[in-house]
Amino acid sequence: MRRAGGAADGAVARGEGARGEGARGEGTRPEGLPVLPGGGSRCRGGPVHRFGRRLRVPFGRVAFGRVPFSRAPGVPDRRNTELALLVLAVAVPVYAYAETGLALHGEVPAGLWAPALGLGLLAGLGHLVVRRFARHADPLLLPIATLLNGLGLVLVWRLDQSPRLRFSAGFEVAAPRQLLYSALGMVLFGAVLVVLRDHRTLQRYTYRSMAVALVLLLLPLVPGLGSEVHGARIWIALAGHSMQPAEFAKIVIAVFFAGYLVAKRDALASAGRRLAGLPLPRARDLGPILAVWALSVLILVFETDLGTSLLFFGLFVVMLYTATERMSWIVCGLLMAAAGAAGVGSFEPHVRQRVRAWLHPMGEYLKGRQGLPGHSEQSMQALWAFGSGGLAGTGLGRGDSDLIGFAANSDFILATVGEELGMAGLVAVLLLYALVVERGMRTALATRDPFGKLLAGGLSAAFALQVFVVAGGVLGLIPLTGMTLPFVAYGGSSVAANWALVGILVRISDTARRPVPREDGAGVRAEPHEDGAGVRPVPREDG
């Protein structure tokens, strides 16, 4: 270690820029690492950039050792913007809660302050954690997730007030539990940011994450631990509570896919023979995709979980294409997915029933009304709910989506959005999901390390795939999968896992947007890319 000041480091270490008066340079740095203008947080002075403000240089952490980072001129940390958006993200659900109470009971709910205070505290705590541990992170991810979570709380509470559901068998009030699950999710979000200081740490656990993902996927098959609900064996019971381990497995398996593809992408990118002008992968490189395809088919056969099977296989194919840029992997993936679904659907009654309800919803409705076993009227009721909503919707609390029955607040909650908020509200909610995916993909583009690019892209793809299979199933575009809509639908596992997913994206975006030192040891000034997603180092103007 040696001091950062002195004649040996010249004008850069002293901070003598075009308008700087000479910093004291009291910070220290490891041998061979560059010195940034202004020293460390103890420096009183520092160079002044061309906009006339002094550079404050907090210390950041990179790969090996601690290196001082310069705050980027023109690239504010956007935490105040995030705070303003969070206020709006809390205000909208509170207003929706009041409007729903007026529609259902003719008055504003007496306990309006309780959910408002709870959601506000969760949002405020999340913001403080981001401001302290990820100050350069994307300013939109946390507010959008908070808004979706808040809207979900309102919709779940609205369905709790339905007399049809209240007098149905097995009814339980879900809104207080959903608020508790949201608090647990926010705790996981904060824990990710506090514990995971550098996302590249996860690359060390590539193969361990694969083992963890397999354990999570196999837990529902353990006798006495797993339980079958409505034909799907995807739940485990712990201490009187049930959870869906596949929700957390999607995050862990994304870590494995990212680490594996970083190490093997050169081999997987090699092309073999051509078919109709499309370069096909080499036969010896088909092992990974065949293994993941076999795992997805086994999940579909033994757990009858169509949603998780599609999610995992689709996630691997998307990340494989991202790593290799070979369209042939997409073609192979689609063909294998179609073959697997058709093969399992030919002998698995649960999957066959879902396909039948997708192809003939009215026939299933009529048979379900007659009480015939193995038939459901929910798909048709959901389509009628969308039709009743029209363009502007019936208004919160004024719809009849509770006719769907037991899954109205989970699998089919999007039908409540479509009926009571109309097509306009449905599109707005889907655009919020699209914004989360867009910010995640923008983070992947701005990240400088390959593992971070693949992990951010993979998590964003997993989020997008889950929204697609849920929305597509309820809208009748694809068969129902039994998955839950992230943040909005009732379910503790889904809410907690998706908050952890957003936490990882926030951590990666913080690293991507953080200014970087130059390799030649000269002073650094960071400027944003044209798309504003990240920063690039540019030479400091001296003299």
Side-chain angles (χ1 to χ4, degrees):
M1 303 291 290
R2 61 188 179 87
R3 298 185 63 82
D9 289 314
V12 173
R14 293 194 302 271
E16 296 174 358
R19 278 165 278 189
E21 299 297 332
R24 297 176 183 267
E26 297 176 1
T28 62
R29 65 180 177 90
E31 195 70 35
L33 292 177
V35 178
L36 292 171
S41 57
R42 295 179 294 174
C43 297
R44 302 178 182 176
V48 182
H49 61 71
R50 60 182 177 182
F51 299 108
R53 296 184 303 176
R54 288 189 179 275
L55 287 176
R56 296 180 60 83
V57 188
F59 280 92
R61 188 177 184 86
V62 209
F64 306 101
R66 299 183 65 84
V67 182
F69 284 106
S70 172
R71 256 185 97 172
V75 187
D77 56 29
R78 297 298 180 91
R79 298 282 64 83
N80 292 333
T81 302
E82 179 184 82
L83 180 60
L85 292 174
L86 278 173
V87 172
L88 181 63
V90 173
V92 170
V94 171
Y95 172 77
Y97 181 54
E99 183 183 353
T100 305
L102 284 171
L104 292 173
H105 309 297
E107 60 181 4
V108 176
L112 177 64
W113 62 271
L117 181 62
L119 186 61
L121 284 177
L122 292 179
L125 290 174
H127 171 72
L128 291 177
V129 172
V130 174
R131 184 179 284 270
R132 172 65 179 85
F133 295 99
R135 62 180 305 173
H136 296 286
D138 190 289
L140 295 182
L141 288 171
L142 178 60
I144 295 174
T146 302
L147 177 56
L148 288 170
N149 202 165
L151 291 175
L153 288 169
V154 173
L155 294 173
V156 171
W157 178 81
R158 176 260 177 277
L159 292 170
D160 280 348
Q161 310 306 307
S162 166
R164 295 189 186 100
L165 295 179
R166 279 184 172 272
F167 293 105
S168 62
F171 171 79
E172 292 183 359
V173 177
R177 288 190 178 187
Q178 186 74 348
L179 183 59
L180 180 62
Y181 297 148
S182 301
L184 176 61
M186 185 59 72
V187 170
L188 284 178
F189 172 82
V192 167
L193 295 181
V194 173
V195 175
L196 186 64
R197 298 300 183 90
D198 190 338
H199 66 270
R200 289 167 292 189
T201 306
L202 297 175
Q203 192 173 1
R204 305 173 188 170
Y205 307 101
T206 296
Y207 293 98
R208 295 180 188 177
S209 62
M210 177 188 66
V212 172
L214 289 176
V215 170
L216 290 174
L217 291 174
L218 294 176
L219 280 178
L221 300 177
V222 177
L225 183 62
S227 59
E228 182 174 327
V229 180
H230 305 302
R233 194 176 182 85
I234 57 177
W235 301 90
I236 61 172
L238 290 174
H241 299 277
S242 60
M243 66 171 293
Q244 193 172 343
E247 290 285 349
F248 298 93
K250 70 182 179 185
I251 301 176
V252 181
I253 207 166
V255 174
F256 164 67
F257 287 162
Y260 176 82
L261 292 174
V262 165
K264 304 293 185 180
R265 61 178 176 175
D266 290 337
L268 295 172
S270 301
R273 297 180 179 179
R274 289 180 173 268
L275 178 64
L278 184 69
L280 299 176
R282 297 178 300 180
R284 62 175 177 270
D285 296 330
L286 291 174
I289 193 171
L290 288 175
V292 176
W293 176 77
L295 175 63
S296 302
V297 171
L298 290 176
I299 292 173
L300 191 56
V301 170
F302 292 103
E303 299 184 3
T304 60
D305 186 7
L306 181 61
T308 302
S309 178
L310 289 175
L311 176 63
F312 286 163
F313 187 68
L315 172 61
F316 182 70
V317 172
V318 170
M319 294 182 69
L320 190 56
Y321 170 73
T322 304
T324 62
E325 300 181 8
R326 293 287 183 185
M327 184 59 69
S328 55
W329 288 116
I330 298 290
V331 175
C332 291
L334 291 175
L335 293 175
M336 294 171 70
V344 176
S346 63
F347 65 85
E348 174 55 51
H350 181 71
V351 177
R352 190 166 58 247
Q353 190 273 333
R354 289 185 179 273
V355 174
R356 189 170 57 242
W358 169 54
L359 295 175
H360 309 289
M362 179 57 79
E364 288 296 299
Y365 170 79
L366 294 175
K367 293 178 181 178
R369 295 292 291 177
Q370 296 172 9
L372 298 177
H375 300 277
S376 172
E377 56 187 85
Q378 292 175 313
S379 296
M380 198 65 235
Q381 290 282 13
L383 295 178
W384 278 332
F386 287 117
S388 301
L391 181 62
T394 61
L396 286 170
R398 296 181 175 89
D400 294 306
S401 60
D402 50 357
L403 288 169
I404 294 173
F406 67 89
N409 63 0
S410 54
D411 298 15
F412 289 91
I413 199 167
L414 197 64
T416 303
V417 177
E419 182 175 12
E420 301 191 355
L421 299 180
M423 188 176 72
L426 178 64
V427 171
V429 170
L430 293 179
L431 283 176
L432 289 175
Y433 285 115
L435 273 175
V436 174
V437 177
E438 186 272 339
R439 302 311 293 186
M441 290 299 182
R442 180 180 288 245
T443 296
L445 290 173
T447 305
R448 292 173 286 273
D449 64 290
F451 176 78
K453 285 182 180 294
L454 283 174
L455 182 58
L459 292 175
S460 303
F463 191 85
L465 285 170
Q466 184 166 352
V467 173
F468 170 74
V469 297
V470 174
V474 178
L475 288 166
L477 300 177
I478 60 175
L480 284 168
T481 60
M483 299 189 73
T484 54
L485 196 64
F487 295 114
V488 174
Y490 173 69
S493 303
S494 177
V495 171
N498 282 292
W499 269 116
L501 184 150
V502 171
I504 297 176
L505 287 179
V506 167
R507 168 55 64 209
I508 300 175
S509 71
D510 173 63
T511 305
R513 295 164 62 91
R514 191 183 302 168
V516 293
R518 286 181 52 183
E519 296 179 356
D520 58 3
V524 62
R525 177 168 53 81
E527 287 187 348
H529 289 303
E530 294 179 0
D531 62 358
V535 293
R536 60 181 175 87
V538 297
R540 186 172 61 86
E541 298 174 359
D542 292 320

PDB file of all heavy atoms in Angstrom, residues 511-526:
ATOM      1  N   THR A 511     -24.689  -2.168 -10.225  1.00  0.00           N
ATOM      2  CA  THR A 511     -23.346  -2.398 -10.761  1.00  0.00           C
ATOM      3  C   THR A 511     -23.218  -1.870 -12.186  1.00  0.00           C
ATOM      4  O   THR A 511     -22.194  -1.299 -12.561  1.00  0.00           O
ATOM      5  CB  THR A 511     -23.021  -3.904 -10.744  1.00  0.00           C
ATOM      6  OG1 THR A 511     -23.192  -4.407  -9.418  1.00  0.00           O
ATOM      7  CG2 THR A 511     -21.596  -4.160 -11.204  1.00  0.00           C
ATOM      8  N   ALA A 512     -24.258  -2.034 -12.983  1.00  0.00           N
ATOM      9  CA  ALA A 512     -24.202  -1.603 -14.384  1.00  0.00           C
ATOM     10  C   ALA A 512     -24.153  -0.100 -14.523  1.00  0.00           C
ATOM     11  O   ALA A 512     -23.470   0.432 -15.413  1.00  0.00           O
ATOM     12  CB  ALA A 512     -25.418  -2.155 -15.140  1.00  0.00           C
ATOM     13  N   ARG A 513     -24.853   0.630 -13.660  1.00  0.00           N
ATOM     14  CA  ARG A 513     -24.925   2.086 -13.767  1.00  0.00           C
ATOM     15  C   ARG A 513     -23.821   2.778 -12.989  1.00  0.00           C
ATOM     16  O   ARG A 513     -23.698   4.004 -13.059  1.00  0.00           O
ATOM     17  CB  ARG A 513     -26.288   2.552 -13.259  1.00  0.00           C
ATOM     18  CG  ARG A 513     -27.452   2.072 -14.104  1.00  0.00           C
ATOM     19  CD  ARG A 513     -28.770   2.230 -13.368  1.00  0.00           C
ATOM     20  NE  ARG A 513     -29.055   3.613 -13.054  1.00  0.00           N
ATOM     21  CZ  ARG A 513     -29.742   4.433 -13.847  1.00  0.00           C
ATOM     22  NH1 ARG A 513     -30.221   3.998 -14.988  1.00  0.00           N
ATOM     23  NH2 ARG A 513     -29.978   5.675 -13.490  1.00  0.00           N
ATOM     24  N   ARG A 514     -23.042   2.021 -12.245  1.00  0.00           N
ATOM     25  CA  ARG A 514     -21.992   2.621 -11.436  1.00  0.00           C
ATOM     26  C   ARG A 514     -20.812   3.029 -12.311  1.00  0.00           C
ATOM     27  O   ARG A 514     -20.395   2.273 -13.185  1.00  0.00           O
ATOM     28  CB  ARG A 514     -21.524   1.623 -10.380  1.00  0.00           C
ATOM     29  CG  ARG A 514     -20.615   2.201  -9.313  1.00  0.00           C
ATOM     30  CD  ARG A 514     -20.167   1.093  -8.391  1.00  0.00           C
ATOM     31  NE  ARG A 514     -21.288   0.405  -7.771  1.00  0.00           N
ATOM     32  CZ  ARG A 514     -21.163  -0.738  -7.118  1.00  0.00           C
ATOM     33  NH1 ARG A 514     -19.983  -1.330  -7.040  1.00  0.00           N
ATOM     34  NH2 ARG A 514     -22.217  -1.307  -6.568  1.00  0.00           N
ATOM     35  N   PRO A 515     -20.227   4.220 -12.110  1.00  0.00           N
ATOM     36  CA  PRO A 515     -19.047   4.622 -12.892  1.00  0.00           C
ATOM     37  C   PRO A 515     -17.892   3.666 -12.662  1.00  0.00           C
ATOM     38  O   PRO A 515     -17.739   3.092 -11.589  1.00  0.00           O
ATOM     39  CB  PRO A 515     -18.722   6.027 -12.365  1.00  0.00           C
ATOM     40  CG  PRO A 515     -19.992   6.502 -11.752  1.00  0.00           C
ATOM     41  CD  PRO A 515     -20.677   5.282 -11.212  1.00  0.00           C
ATOM     42  N   VAL A 516     -17.056   3.492 -13.691  1.00  0.00           N
ATOM     43  CA  VAL A 516     -15.949   2.538 -13.623  1.00  0.00           C
ATOM     44  C   VAL A 516     -14.625   3.271 -13.784  1.00  0.00           C
ATOM     45  O   VAL A 516     -14.542   4.295 -14.468  1.00  0.00           O
ATOM     46  CB  VAL A 516     -16.077   1.466 -14.721  1.00  0.00           C
ATOM     47  CG1 VAL A 516     -17.279   0.606 -14.455  1.00  0.00           C
ATOM     48  CG2 VAL A 516     -16.189   2.090 -16.093  1.00  0.00           C
ATOM     49  N   PRO A 517     -13.550   2.752 -13.161  1.00  0.00           N
ATOM     50  CA  PRO A 517     -12.227   3.355 -13.341  1.00  0.00           C
ATOM     51  C   PRO A 517     -11.611   2.937 -14.658  1.00  0.00           C
ATOM     52  O   PRO A 517     -11.895   1.864 -15.182  1.00  0.00           O
ATOM     53  CB  PRO A 517     -11.430   2.791 -12.160  1.00  0.00           C
ATOM     54  CG  PRO A 517     -12.063   1.476 -11.886  1.00  0.00           C
ATOM     55  CD  PRO A 517     -13.525   1.640 -12.198  1.00  0.00           C
ATOM     56  N   ARG A 518     -10.738   3.781 -15.199  1.00  0.00           N
ATOM     57  CA  ARG A 518     -10.014   3.437 -16.416  1.00  0.00           C
ATOM     58  C   ARG A 518      -8.825   2.553 -16.089  1.00  0.00           C
ATOM     59  O   ARG A 518      -8.249   2.626 -15.022  1.00  0.00           O
ATOM     60  CB  ARG A 518      -9.541   4.704 -17.122  1.00  0.00           C
ATOM     61  CG  ARG A 518     -10.660   5.448 -17.823  1.00  0.00           C
ATOM     62  CD  ARG A 518     -10.145   6.670 -18.532  1.00  0.00           C
ATOM     63  NE  ARG A 518      -9.036   6.320 -19.401  1.00  0.00           N
ATOM     64  CZ  ARG A 518      -8.347   7.226 -20.098  1.00  0.00           C
ATOM     65  NH1 ARG A 518      -8.647   8.483 -19.988  1.00  0.00           N
ATOM     66  NH2 ARG A 518      -7.362   6.854 -20.873  1.00  0.00           N
ATOM     67  N   GLU A 519      -8.477   1.716 -17.074  1.00  0.00           N
ATOM     68  CA  GLU A 519      -7.406   0.747 -16.837  1.00  0.00           C
ATOM     69  C   GLU A 519      -6.021   1.381 -16.841  1.00  0.00           C
ATOM     70  O   GLU A 519      -5.084   0.820 -16.322  1.00  0.00           O
ATOM     71  CB  GLU A 519      -7.467  -0.343 -17.907  1.00  0.00           C
ATOM     72  CG  GLU A 519      -8.745  -1.170 -17.849  1.00  0.00           C
ATOM     73  CD  GLU A 519      -8.781  -2.217 -18.929  1.00  0.00           C
ATOM     74  OE1 GLU A 519      -7.835  -2.230 -19.744  1.00  0.00           O
ATOM     75  OE2 GLU A 519      -9.739  -3.018 -18.969  1.00  0.00           O
ATOM     76  N   ASP A 520      -5.893   2.574 -17.481  1.00  0.00           N
ATOM     77  CA  ASP A 520      -4.552   3.158 -17.582  1.00  0.00           C
ATOM     78  C   ASP A 520      -4.171   3.952 -16.349  1.00  0.00           C
ATOM     79  O   ASP A 520      -3.110   4.567 -16.314  1.00  0.00           O
ATOM     80  CB  ASP A 520      -4.459   4.039 -18.827  1.00  0.00           C
ATOM     81  CG  ASP A 520      -5.498   5.161 -18.818  1.00  0.00           C
ATOM     82  OD1 ASP A 520      -6.239   5.275 -17.814  1.00  0.00           O
ATOM     83  OD2 ASP A 520      -5.566   5.911 -19.811  1.00  0.00           O
ATOM     84  N   GLY A 521      -5.062   3.991 -15.352  1.00  0.00           N
ATOM     85  CA  GLY A 521      -4.716   4.681 -14.123  1.00  0.00           C
ATOM     86  C   GLY A 521      -4.986   6.152 -14.165  1.00  0.00           C
ATOM     87  O   GLY A 521      -4.764   6.855 -13.187  1.00  0.00           O
ATOM     88  N   ALA A 522      -5.433   6.702 -15.288  1.00  0.00           N
ATOM     89  CA  ALA A 522      -5.724   8.118 -15.365  1.00  0.00           C
ATOM     90  C   ALA A 522      -7.025   8.422 -14.651  1.00  0.00           C
ATOM     91  O   ALA A 522      -7.778   7.535 -14.294  1.00  0.00           O
ATOM     92  CB  ALA A 522      -5.807   8.553 -16.834  1.00  0.00           C
ATOM     93  N   GLY A 523      -7.289   9.715 -14.505  1.00  0.00           N
ATOM     94  CA  GLY A 523      -8.537  10.115 -13.884  1.00  0.00           C
ATOM     95  C   GLY A 523      -9.708   9.669 -14.735  1.00  0.00           C
ATOM     96  O   GLY A 523      -9.565   9.422 -15.932  1.00  0.00           O
ATOM     97  N   VAL A 524     -10.855   9.566 -14.135  1.00  0.00           N
ATOM     98  CA  VAL A 524     -12.010   9.051 -14.849  1.00  0.00           C
ATOM     99  C   VAL A 524     -13.185   9.991 -14.651  1.00  0.00           C
ATOM    100  O   VAL A 524     -13.370  10.543 -13.582  1.00  0.00           O
ATOM    101  CB  VAL A 524     -12.384   7.635 -14.368  1.00  0.00           C
ATOM    102  CG1 VAL A 524     -12.761   7.606 -12.922  1.00  0.00           C
ATOM    103  CG2 VAL A 524     -13.545   7.081 -15.192  1.00  0.00           C
ATOM    104  N   ARG A 525     -13.905  10.162 -15.680  1.00  0.00           N
ATOM    105  CA  ARG A 525     -15.187  10.840 -15.597  1.00  0.00           C
ATOM    106  C   ARG A 525     -16.164   9.992 -16.369  1.00  0.00           C
ATOM    107  O   ARG A 525     -15.886   9.594 -17.499  1.00  0.00           O
ATOM    108  CB  ARG A 525     -15.104  12.244 -16.196  1.00  0.00           C
ATOM    109  CG  ARG A 525     -16.436  12.965 -16.207  1.00  0.00           C
ATOM    110  CD  ARG A 525     -16.240  14.453 -16.538  1.00  0.00           C
ATOM    111  NE  ARG A 525     -15.477  14.631 -17.748  1.00  0.00           N
ATOM    112  CZ  ARG A 525     -15.986  14.549 -18.970  1.00  0.00           C
ATOM    113  NH1 ARG A 525     -17.248  14.237 -19.127  1.00  0.00           N
ATOM    114  NH2 ARG A 525     -15.245  14.737 -20.037  1.00  0.00           N
ATOM    115  N   ALA A 526     -17.281   9.638 -15.797  1.00  0.00           N
ATOM    116  CA  ALA A 526     -18.226   8.733 -16.443  1.00  0.00           C
ATOM    117  C   ALA A 526     -19.370   9.524 -17.059  1.00  0.00           C
ATOM    118  O   ALA A 526     -19.851  10.479 -16.478  1.00  0.00           O
ATOM    119  CB  ALA A 526     -18.783   7.732 -15.435  1.00  0.00           C
TER     120      ALA A 526
END
